[in-house]
Amino acid sequence: MTPLFRAILIIASIGTLIGIVRKVRNAKVQIESSVFWIGFSTLLLFLSIFPQVAEAVADLLGIYSTVNFIFLFVIFVLFIHQFTNSIKISQLEDRIKELTQEIAVRELRKKDLESFEEEKKNEENNSNRM
Amino acid sequence: MKEVLVIIPAYNEQDNIKRVVDNLICNYPQYDYIVVNDGSRDHTRRICRENNYKLLDLPINLGLAGGFQAGMKYAYRAGYKYAIQFDADGQHKPEYIEMMLKKIKEGYDIVIGSRFVERKKPLSLRMLGSRLISGAIRLTTGSKIQDPTSGMRMFSRKIIKECAINMNYGPEPDTVSFLIKNGAVVAEVQVEMDERIAGQSYLTAFKSVFYMIRMLTSIIIIQNFRKRDKRYLEL
């Protein structure tokens, strides 16, 4: 890895760390989701400060250049994250749908019950008068 | 209205809920209670309706944090002085609520029903997790919490409001750690807990590894950067 490439990696990972910490600080993100970004950027930081580790792993996997290993690694992690994200989003959409329907149905049911009770009361009044 | 609200989050607890709530109603009428049905897929909802339990019925499953927060929202709106988190599976014994209440009235913000105040922690894998979390809290706050994973916690009105309106206040050790860091005073009271009699725990074996990673990162790193929302101060 060239020094410039390492510098870019270091800056990018520190930037990510600062960004996510600021979001947590202002309560804009749930801690559960921030754990991934903190772990990921710390790992990237580690690899760029100690390129020997990445070199060793690249060697082990038979990848010619360390940079290629870093690319593969980043793509792979983001790939998995994107996959789980997409599943989460579709579940989220389903839950919103369910919630919206539930609220609407409950409201109508409440009206149903109210009008049913009113009818009953009217009937009672009528029969009393007779 | 009584001063204590017992919040019972319930997710798929059809085998336990009746025993737990009936015990509270019959033997501990000095406390109010509320069951939070967290979108259960079994008969929990039906059992609560049939028995006329006081019920917050969530249409979808929010998880323990969301369900508990719903209970805290109710406690806050209804004006309760104290709220206690209480398991629906019968692990927690209501006879200890009185001691915890006495303790919190001495001026504490949070009182934890702890298994290890007077007793030693056993050397099991489960308790290794508890030790690690205790250690992390000690490292970052300086306070010694013997049983941070105990789910039996009593909160004062101040904390109720804070938990009710904010994000990232799940009923977990990292929230306790954050609050201690921000000046909350926490005490522990020795309690006994039963093993689960029926049903499945929220934490399965695989999930507990991820849970530990999340808790430790959260306590050791993330909580140090959090800003406390000051809105809770205007009670």
Side-chain angles (χ1 to χ4, degrees), chain B residues 201-213:
Chain B
S201 163
Y202 255 111
L203 279 177
T204 56
F206 175 73
K207 273 188 190 160
S208 47
V209 175
F210 182 72
Y211 174 84
M212 282 305 301
I213 296 174

Side-chain angles (χ1 to χ4, degrees), chain B residues 103-161:
Chain B
K103 192 84 189 167
I104 207 166
K105 281 184 174 166
E106 289 173 17
Y108 290 96
D109 297 308
I110 302 171
V111 171
I112 300 174
S114 167
R115 287 161 289 181
F116 314 116
V117 177
E118 290 149 17
R119 247 167 254 179
K120 276 193 84 178
K121 235 179 249 193
L123 280 167
S124 63
L125 203 62
R126 228 187 137 79
M127 285 308 131
L128 177 71
S130 170
R131 274 168 205 274
L132 284 174
I133 293 176
S134 274
I137 293 179
R138 189 144 192 218
L139 187 75
T140 53
T141 68
S143 302
K144 212 170 177 180
I145 301 294
Q146 304 283 5
D147 195 359
T149 54
S150 159
M152 197 180 186
R153 306 188 184 93
M154 187 179 273
F155 302 92
S156 68
R157 174 109 188 118
K158 195 172 87 182
I159 306 288
I160 292 175
K161 180 177 184 190

Side-chain angles (χ1 to χ4, degrees), chain B residues 17-18 24 40 49 53 66 95 113 115 117 119 124 127 130 136 148 151 153 161 164 187 195 197 200 203 216:
Chain B
I17 191 76
K18 189 160 169 24
L24 269 175
S40 297
R49 290 252 169 93
Y53 294 156
E95 59 255 46
R115 287 161 289 181
V117 177
R119 247 167 254 179
S124 63
M127 285 308 131
S130 170
R153 306 188 184 93
K161 180 177 184 190
E195 292 297 311
I197 295 175
Q200 272 262 306
L203 279 177
L216 291 177

Side-chain angles (χ1 to χ4, degrees), chain A residues 19 28 32 40 45 57 82 98 109:
Chain A
K28 297 278 185 237
E32 284 86 340
F40 181 56
L45 193 64
V57 182
Q82 178 57 26
E98 222 169 291
R109 285 291 296 151

